[in-house]
Amino acid sequence: MKLNTYPMSSSNIKIIPIQQSKINSVDFNNLTFGTVFSDYMFECDYKNGDWQTPTIKPYGAITIDPSARVFHYGQAVFEGMKAYKDANDAIFLFRPEDNHERINKSSARLAIPEFPKDYFIDGLKTLLNLEKDWIKKGIGNSMYIRPFVIATQPAISASPSEEYKFMIILSPAQAYYSGEVRVLFAEEYSRAASGGVGFAKAAGNYAAQFFPTKLANEQGYQQIIWTDADSHEYLEEAGTMNIFFRVNDTLITAPNNDRILDGITRKSVIQLAKDNNMKVEIRRISVSEIKEAAKKGELKEIFGSGTATVINPIIGFSHGGEKFDLPKLEESYASFFKEKLTNIQYNISEDPYGWRFKI
Ligand code: COI
């Protein structure tokens, strides 16, 4: 079996050591997603047309001029990744080159300069090696990795910044959603429009969902499944997850387009489904088709896929004032994919795809 590793290369990261680790103050058995950060962070500035020497330094506040475009125009993109520790304390990333490629695609759409691959991979390796003790063993424990880029040039003209900051912060993680997830199918608000930035991990895509999601939360729904902005008739993605439907034994998911995030977990699920002889359809899915299937008892499952959430079963949905509950299955596709994926991610099973990278 091919074991993917990366040689260290030449980004010459400067490391500023911490005085004292915070690790003993952290309760690793009670983590709320995204609220605890490790000791170090990675930072690299772009100015005079180039990415400068990266630094790894103690995690903490940064100073940015109030006129920086990130605050005014939301010129910012991010990624979501995880590191996993196996039973022998080895640490792995999952398809990290795909994250690098995707952050650069997101950046290009927001007129942000691309970030070099060796800086990205070296930054991750060096940071994760420093923070080994923060990565806990056992399925469900991981280090959530948040690379992001923000426009920092002090100027409020509505044009691309000439200065940026690329950073990576690390947050030890357990489950993203705690408890059961019910969703609303969007009927009024939209997440993305054709020709827009829906495919990018642009910060503003997420902020724009907060208000409608808050309204959904008030009605008892954790998430919205966004529909196409023109007709609200076709199901697209959940904003924090891509979405799969199982009708009888067929797995259906929407095709990638410029409104839908090209999910790394999504494409891994599709690959696993095909290789396990499941029937997969990548096509437009109408709300009426799913409601019809639910009424006939043919809708067996809905689940979301994403880095933070992994595979998240959805237990019910609502649309047009009608509420539907999904059956509770002994052997679900969701648990099948979750197990296959986590076994690869935690170095429990073979990885015939070369998705796992040892750091
Ligand atoms: C991820 O799954 O990593 C994401 O970026 C979604 C985020 C909103 C937590």
Side-chain angles (χ1 to χ4, degrees), residues 9 20 74 144 177 256 288 351 354:
S9 77
Q20 200 181 353
Y144 185 76
Y177 290 109
N256 280 338
S288 49
D351 171 19

Side-chain angles (χ1 to χ4, degrees), residues 120-134:
F120 185 82
I121 298 294
D122 276 7
L124 285 169
K125 272 191 87 158
T126 315
L127 199 53
L128 290 167
N129 272 314
L130 280 167
E131 303 287 48
K132 273 188 179 132
D133 293 345
W134 285 78

Side-chain angles (χ1 to χ4, degrees), residues 1 3 84-94 136-141 338-352 355-357:
M1 186 190 52
L3 178 63
Y84 311 88
K85 193 177 251 182
D86 76 2
N88 300 315
D89 289 333
I91 294 168
F92 298 90
L93 290 167
F94 184 71
K136 298 299 175 193
K137 284 188 236 201
I139 289 200
N141 292 319
K338 188 166 183 179
E339 190 178 333
K340 286 265 176 214
L341 276 173
T342 48
N343 282 348
I344 294 178
Q345 290 165 337
Y346 289 83
N347 193 26
I348 292 168
S349 66
E350 290 284 301
D351 171 19
W355 289 339
R356 188 166 61 214
F357 278 78

Side-chain angles (χ1 to χ4, degrees), residues 33 78-82 99 102 144-146 176-177 201 206 209 239-241 261 265 305-310:
F33 182 85
F78 71 95
E79 264 306 316
M81 313 173 67
K82 277 180 178 167
N99 294 95
R102 192 171 63 184
Y144 185 76
I145 304 169
R146 175 51 61 87
Y176 184 71
Y177 290 109
K201 277 186 95 72
Y206 295 77
Q209 298 179 87
T240 56
M241 319 185 273
L261 186 83
T265 315
S305 68
T307 299
T309 189
V310 195

Side-chain angles (χ1 to χ4, degrees), residues 2 29 41 46 64 88 98 113 141 144 148 191 208 214 253 272 275 285 304 329 341 352:
K2 180 172 150 241
N29 296 317
M41 62 187 189
Y46 181 91
I64 301 173
N88 300 315
D98 296 44
N141 292 319
Y144 185 76
F148 62 101
R191 174 185 174 273
K214 184 169 149 276
T253 195
L272 288 168
D275 293 352
I285 312 150
L329 301 180
L341 276 173

